[in-house]
Amino acid sequence: MIITGLVLSLLSCQESSAAFTGKIDFDIREDDAEFRRLRLGVEGTFGDSYDYTLSFNNDIEELETEVHEALIAFDHSWGKIELGYFKEPFGLENSHSSHEVNFLERSDATMLAGDHNIGIANYIEMDPSTHLSWGVFRNSISARFTDLIVANEDADNFWHVGASVGVRESDRFFQGDEIMMFDVETLYQDGAFSFQAEAQSLEIDNTESTSFTLQAAYVINGGNRIYDTPRAKFLFPATAGDIEAAIRATRVDMSEYNPAMNVINDYTAALNYCLSDSSKLQLEVERGSDGLSDDQTTAALRYHFRW
């Protein structure tokens, strides 16, 4: 990949700085224990204004490695610009990394959103409370708009609303002549309490798939999540010792596009303990299915560490 090669070449330049990064998710389930994620990479700065990221997902059992992200970012008069292979700007939950979500995984609703892709994106601050991110990718165009209705940093009180839209060509996930994606979102935080709601629609030719997600969380010992205003999302809790309880309900209906798939109704409860500013323990119980099998209840314990 051209971008991967370019990022690697930056590492050998005298004017570049580099820091090794990684992420480990180790899961213990009822009948299994495995590394859910083993991600290794490097990120740094080139010159005065160019940032770069290169990371790989590694499958220990299959002995396989694939590029997770490879990008170069820089500030422009239009705002922040990213170029390479990275996540499309679309939706609230999809904008959070696995390091930042309240649960072991994002909800099934993100099946209707774009994923990592090759392209260029622009992140624009229209004013301190209004942000627009948009991008042109290998087989898609997507954009996300958010506006802060309430922004009180001293009281950790935020409320934003947003919408996303995308158009794409057929890929390995969805096939059709006309594919359109729509998303509406809201996020609310009042100190230790936070709430998110999101609805999505995926239109493929004459079919429509829909999803709806509600989730709420509370930091029991009085801390709170950190709201990232430019990217309109939550960051990882920064205080060691924080204990967070979270619940989520998700409904996904893809029966028009795939009649063999049942409606998904998932319910999840999680308890997260922040060990440090980069690690946490997560206990989760989930009731639901993948749409192709019967509902079942699962429980898992995860150790998460990022550096």
Side-chain angles (χ1 to χ4, degrees):
M1 184 185 294
I2 296 176
I3 298 297
T4 303
L6 182 57
V7 171
L8 288 173
S9 69
L10 294 177
L11 299 179
S12 63
C13 295
Q14 295 182 351
E15 297 182 1
S16 67
S17 63
F20 289 101
T21 63
K23 183 185 297 183
I24 293 175
D25 284 336
F26 183 73
D27 292 355
I28 299 176
R29 300 182 182 273
E30 298 174 9
D31 56 355
D32 191 22
E34 65 172 357
F35 283 98
R36 170 63 179 85
R37 289 183 183 87
L38 178 56
R39 185 173 297 158
L40 301 173
V42 63
E43 61 184 30
T45 302
F46 173 71
D48 295 329
S49 57
Y50 293 90
D51 300 322
Y52 59 86
T53 299
L54 177 63
S55 60
F56 298 87
N57 284 328
N58 303 277
D59 189 321
I60 297 178
E61 293 184 359
E62 301 295 333
L63 298 178
E64 294 179 348
T65 298
E66 64 178 11
V67 175
H68 167 254
E69 204 166 62
L71 67 91
I72 297 173
F74 57 92
D75 291 322
H76 189 272
S77 59
W78 290 358
K80 175 76 73 174
I81 291 179
E82 292 183 351
L83 172 68
Y85 179 74
F86 55 96
K87 189 179 294 184
E88 300 179 23
F90 186 90
L92 173 60
E93 189 177 14
N94 199 55
S95 297
H96 287 80
S97 76
S98 57
H99 182 63
E100 298 159 340
V101 296
N102 308 74
F103 304 90
L104 268 62
E105 306 293 342
R106 300 178 194 87
S107 72
D108 289 330
T110 55
M111 292 190 299
L112 308 187
D115 201 356
H116 287 70
N117 209 340
I118 299 172
I120 182 171
N122 184 201
Y123 302 86
I124 305 170
E125 182 182 285
M126 304 176 73
D127 63 50
S129 62
T130 307
H131 295 82
L132 172 66
S133 55
W134 66 280
V136 179
F137 297 87
R138 177 182 57 84
N139 67 326
S140 67
I141 299 173
S142 62
R144 178 181 180 227
F145 173 85
T146 60
D147 184 60
L148 267 173
I149 299 174
V150 175
N152 186 336
E153 294 187 10
D154 293 334
D156 291 313
N157 186 202
F158 299 94
W159 177 28
H160 91 223
V161 295
S164 301
V165 63
V167 58
R168 66 192 309 111
E169 297 178 347
S170 293
D171 55 23
R172 62 191 179 96
F173 298 108
F174 299 104
Q175 291 79 44
D177 294 328
E178 297 181 5
I179 303 178
M180 293 288 296
M181 304 183 300
F182 302 95
D183 180 285
V184 291
E185 64 179 73
T186 187
L187 176 153
Y188 178 78
Q189 178 185 10
D190 186 5
F193 174 77
S194 62
F195 172 81
Q196 297 174 211
E198 188 168 16
Q200 295 178 335
S201 172
L202 174 67
E203 298 181 0
I204 303 177
D205 297 333
N206 296 319
T207 69
E208 182 182 20
S209 300
T210 59
S211 71
F212 189 70
T213 303
L214 293 172
Q215 69 178 65
Y218 186 80
V219 183
I220 298 171
N221 59 347
N224 58 71
R225 286 190 162 249
I226 301 172
Y227 182 77
D228 181 358
T229 301
R231 293 298 175 102
K233 65 175 185 176
F234 284 127
L235 300 178
F236 184 85
T239 306
D242 280 354
I243 301 174
E244 178 188 59
I247 55 174
R248 180 179 68 195
T250 303
R251 178 180 174 85
V252 182
D253 185 353
M254 299 181 62
S255 57
E256 285 190 14
Y257 175 72
N258 183 1
M261 193 169 185
N262 298 320
V263 175
I264 298 173
N265 289 295
D266 278 354
Y267 305 95
T268 310
L271 189 65
N272 306 313
Y273 176 63
C274 187
L275 298 168
S276 68
D277 60 0
S278 59
S279 63
K280 59 183 174 180
L281 285 175
Q282 298 175 272
L283 176 63
E284 180 178 287
V285 178
E286 180 179 13
R287 175 69 179 176
S289 76
D290 58 4
L292 300 174
S293 56
D294 295 335
D295 287 354
Q296 57 181 338
T297 301
T298 59
L301 176 67
R302 168 175 292 178
Y303 170 72
H304 170 90
F305 177 57
R306 180 186 182 187
W307 70 92

